[in-house]
Amino acid sequence: MSGSIKVNGIVISSMPVGEYDKRIVLLTKELGKISAFARRSRRQSSSLLGVTNAFIYGEFELYRGQSSYSVNAVKASEYFTNVTTDYDNMMMGAYFLEVAEFFAQENNDEKERLLLLYRSLQVMGAGDRSLKLIKSIYELKTMVINGEYPNLFECGECGTKEDLVALSSDLESVRCKEHAHNKDCIPINGSTLYALQYVTSSSIKKLYSFELKSDIETEFINVVDRLSGKYLNYQFKSVDFLKN
């Protein structure tokens, strides 16, 4: 059914089409991930010129045709300029957008993913957290939203919640002191484990409200890197820019 609709969301990718148009992908509160054409948006006189780029958050008025959406108007409320005007922030932000686009689904409830992306970009723009830590928190919470992440609260062998000291070699659960004798188990500091538990269980609004000592932060980042290799098993293009 054709007609106009309004959605709230963020542009997670934008690419030129033809001489003057763009094809954008939106992560929205109402419809999950959707694609739309911004006709003549690359003309200097277009009202859509500056509001159909990646990182733009706001209200999008769309026309729903028989086979695609078209952008009629945009009320931008957040440009994330502290992200897009800093090279390192922008490269990390581009990675966040790519991860969100890869895992988000059309016509799916993606409110949590949208909120995670929005909050992570906000924190990045504030500049009071290390980019590597923000990345690790974003990745771990993405695993939770996807529904694939390790059991960090009880031993995978006996079920106890006490004396948890290691990750299992398959990265699917933690191990208690009694069952951490396997040489392939990965020792983990109690403070690091608590931080991992906090990220998996906390609301997104409170996600970045903790501090870590430098050695614990380093271990936290290293553990999440291992988990990302298992649970976010995909070679994202933007990762190459993060390594430079």
Side-chain angles (χ1 to χ4, degrees), residues 84-192:
T84 59
T85 57
D86 178 276
Y87 178 81
D88 291 335
N89 283 352
M90 187 169 182
M91 291 302 98
M92 187 64 76
Y95 170 67
F96 290 178
L97 297 185
E98 187 181 2
V99 170
E101 182 172 4
F102 181 78
F103 288 110
Q105 301 293 318
E106 295 181 14
N107 298 314
N108 193 45
D109 185 352
E110 299 289 359
K111 295 184 186 71
E112 285 289 286
R113 197 182 308 278
L114 175 60
L115 183 57
L116 173 62
L117 178 59
Y118 184 91
R119 182 65 184 133
S120 299
L121 293 174
Q122 270 189 329
V123 172
M124 188 190 307
D128 57 359
R129 295 284 192 282
S130 76
L131 288 181
K132 288 185 177 180
L133 179 59
I134 297 171
K135 175 177 179 285
S136 294
I137 293 172
Y138 180 82
E139 289 175 334
L140 183 54
K141 201 63 173 179
T142 293
M143 297 176 211
V144 175
I145 293 171
N146 291 348
E148 294 185 288
Y149 60 102
N151 180 351
L152 298 168
F153 291 89
E154 58 185 35
C155 176
E157 290 288 339
C158 67
T160 184
K161 298 180 181 180
E162 305 297 327
D163 295 321
L164 303 175
V165 297
L167 277 170
S168 61
S169 58
D170 60 8
L171 303 177
E172 292 188 357
S173 63
V174 286
R175 291 288 185 268
C176 67
K177 185 180 262 186
E178 183 179 350
H179 294 102
H181 302 304
N182 187 320
K183 66 178 181 179
D184 293 327
C185 282
I186 304 160
I188 187 169
N189 185 284
S191 296
T192 304

Side-chain angles (χ1 to χ4, degrees), residues 37-83:
F37 290 96
R39 314 286 182 186
R40 297 177 292 281
S41 58
R42 291 161 59 210
R43 289 183 181 272
Q44 291 299 314
S45 59
S46 174
S47 61
L48 301 177
L49 179 64
V51 292
T52 51
N53 298 323
F55 296 102
I56 298 296
Y57 179 88
E59 180 185 80
F60 295 78
E61 181 182 319
L62 308 176
Y63 178 79
R64 180 166 46 194
Q66 291 185 344
S67 60
S68 64
Y69 292 97
S70 296
V71 182
N72 287 342
V74 180
K75 292 181 181 178
S77 57
E78 178 62 76
Y79 290 80
F80 294 107
T81 53
N82 287 346
V83 174

Side-chain angles (χ1 to χ4, degrees), residues 5-9 26 28 30-31 34 58-62:
I5 61 170
K6 291 182 179 180
V7 296
N8 294 277
L26 295 166
T28 73
E30 296 83 1
L31 298 174
I34 59 173
E59 180 185 80
F60 295 78
E61 181 182 319
L62 308 176

